Amino acid sequence: MEMPIFNEKVAQHLKTFARECINDPSLLHDPKLSFIKELIEHYGGKVPEAKTNDSSSAKTEFKSKPEEPEPESESESEESDLELDMTGVIEPDQDAPQKMGNLTLQPTEDEIAESQEKRSEAVSAFVEKDYEKAIQLYTEAIVLNPQAALLYAKRGQVFLLLNKPNACIRDCNRAIELNPDSAAAHKFRGRAYHLLGKFEEAVNDLRLACKLDFDEQADEWLRETTPNARKIEEHKRKKERKAQEKLERERQERLRKAREAAKAREENTRTSQTDAGSTPPGDFYQFLKDPDVLQAFEDPEVAEAFKDISTNPTNVLKYQNNPKIMALINKMASKFSGAGGMPGAAGMNFPGGMPGFPGAGAGHFNPPKSSPQDDVGLD
């Protein structure tokens, strides 16, 4: 006998579960499924013993889904499009910051003179390519005269030759702080930026250095750096353009949704208005369900009279002395007096186009007095 609870959907789930148990019998050892295990053993079946390693691996294999490769983000895709010439770029130096002079101290004449002597010795060591000694002598000169911007720029040059671009940048920053128009400081700092792969910063410094005091070496470094800098600038413009296009698409999408929502509201309003205009006046049709009214309209005389009145409301005067007709008219007047008179007076019409009657009020219909002209032709 087919059980009613086993509909097609349930049967499909049971088939799927049965296949899973065949592939992985360890599922039947789950305490939540003990009733199924008991059912199998009750009919003489045997559930295989659970194997910790095999079952866990099988279970994992059954439940796991193949990993889908993550979509490449737009930024990563854009970065991959940027190919730069990294020739000459080196790893940044991580040395502790070099000793700087105290800018609050004002050197004496003797200290300035001694500083110049140290500088001369540093230049000699630099010419002999004894760069470590040159750095030491420049440092002593800086301590004696910390206000001399050129001393920092020259020590930065030595750091540059030792492939210590960060140390060079620190010295050139101090030199530019003391003298913003130091061409040497901008020149060496620009080269240091290039060694670190900061091509935009390098181009800016080298251009300014050539502008302040043209130097062939600075110009050569500038031409070497410019191609990468232009690629980066173009890449940034492209990225900014895409961002603007994305914002414009989002704005257009919001406008489209707003227009659709406005159109939907307009259609709903139009439908509501149409439905409201086609709704029959409830009070009047409820009145027609009144048993007394239905019974009155079954009288051929009453029906004929109302048909006559529907063609011309003034014909009501013919029936002002007819108790049956006037009783029904007064009943209708009393029913609709709260709405400002008969249905026609309140903007409503009888079925078949019968108009309402004017002058109904206080629950009683008072026909207008007839004039001599109205009596003409009446019996």
Side-chain angles (χ1 to χ4, degrees), residues 99-102 105 107 111 115 136-147 151-152 155:
K99 188 174 182 180
M100 296 287 185
N102 188 350
L105 297 179
E111 289 174 334
S115 175
Q136 179 182 351
L137 291 169
Y138 275 125
T139 301
E140 293 176 2
I142 287 172
V143 172
L144 291 169
N145 184 12
Q147 304 293 335
L151 294 177
Y152 295 99
R155 188 175 68 173

Side-chain angles (χ1 to χ4, degrees), residues 73 75 125 147 166 227 270 337:
S73 63
S75 60
Q147 304 293 335
N166 282 327
R270 188 183 302 116
S337 61

Side-chain angles (χ1 to χ4, degrees), residues 84-92 163 165 191-199 224-225 228:
L84 302 176
D85 181 6
M86 305 302 287
T87 303
V89 177
I90 63 175
E91 291 294 326
N163 286 332
R191 184 59 179 176
Y193 278 137
H194 178 96
L195 295 181
L196 293 174
K198 299 181 178 181
F199 302 110
E224 182 181 345
T225 306
N228 281 343

Side-chain angles (χ1 to χ4, degrees), residues 220-346:
E220 181 182 350
W221 286 346
L222 176 60
R223 284 187 276 107
E224 182 181 345
T225 306
T226 297
N228 281 343
R230 285 179 177 172
K231 287 182 181 180
I232 295 174
E233 291 174 358
E234 178 60 28
H235 174 74
K236 285 186 176 180
R237 283 195 296 268
K238 180 180 177 181
K239 189 174 181 180
E240 184 178 354
R241 184 172 63 253
K242 286 186 175 181
Q244 292 296 331
E245 291 174 354
K246 182 180 179 181
L247 290 176
E248 180 62 20
R249 287 195 302 269
E250 292 175 351
R251 188 183 73 85
Q252 293 294 341
E253 181 66 14
R254 288 194 298 269
L255 289 175
R256 184 187 65 80
K257 290 181 178 179
R259 285 193 294 266
E260 290 179 354
K263 184 177 180 181
R265 287 195 299 270
E266 182 180 353
E267 291 178 353
N268 291 336
T269 302
R270 188 183 302 116
T271 303
S272 301
Q273 291 175 349
T274 303
D275 294 342
S278 61
T279 303
D283 290 344
F284 177 69
Y285 281 87
Q286 289 295 329
F287 169 75
L288 290 182
K289 294 179 182 179
D290 189 301
D292 294 338
V293 175
L294 291 175
Q295 185 178 0
F297 275 104
E298 289 177 359
D299 187 332
E301 182 183 358
V302 174
E304 186 64 27
F306 270 78
K307 182 178 179 181
D308 183 30
I309 296 171
S310 68
T311 59
N312 186 357
T314 60
N315 289 341
V316 71
L317 298 175
K318 296 179 182 181
Y319 308 98
Q320 58 184 335
N321 295 323
N322 188 324
K324 288 192 297 183
I325 305 300
M326 297 310 299
L328 182 57
I329 290 176
N330 286 328
K331 183 177 180 65
M332 296 174 68
S334 63
K335 177 70 176 176
F336 294 97
S337 61
M342 298 293 286

Side-chain angles (χ1 to χ4, degrees), residues 73-118:
S73 63
E74 185 176 352
S75 60
E76 291 177 354
S77 177
E78 291 177 353
E79 290 297 333
S80 63
D81 295 339
L82 184 61
E83 296 181 0
L84 302 176
D85 181 6
M86 305 302 287
T87 303
V89 177
I90 63 175
E91 291 294 326
D93 51 303
Q94 304 295 337
D95 296 349
Q98 61 271 30
K99 188 174 182 180
M100 296 287 185
N102 188 350
L103 296 180
T104 61
L105 297 179
Q106 292 295 330
T108 63
E109 292 182 0
D110 292 340
E111 289 174 334
I112 293 176
E114 186 177 355
S115 175
Q116 290 176 346
E117 291 179 4
K118 295 291 183 182

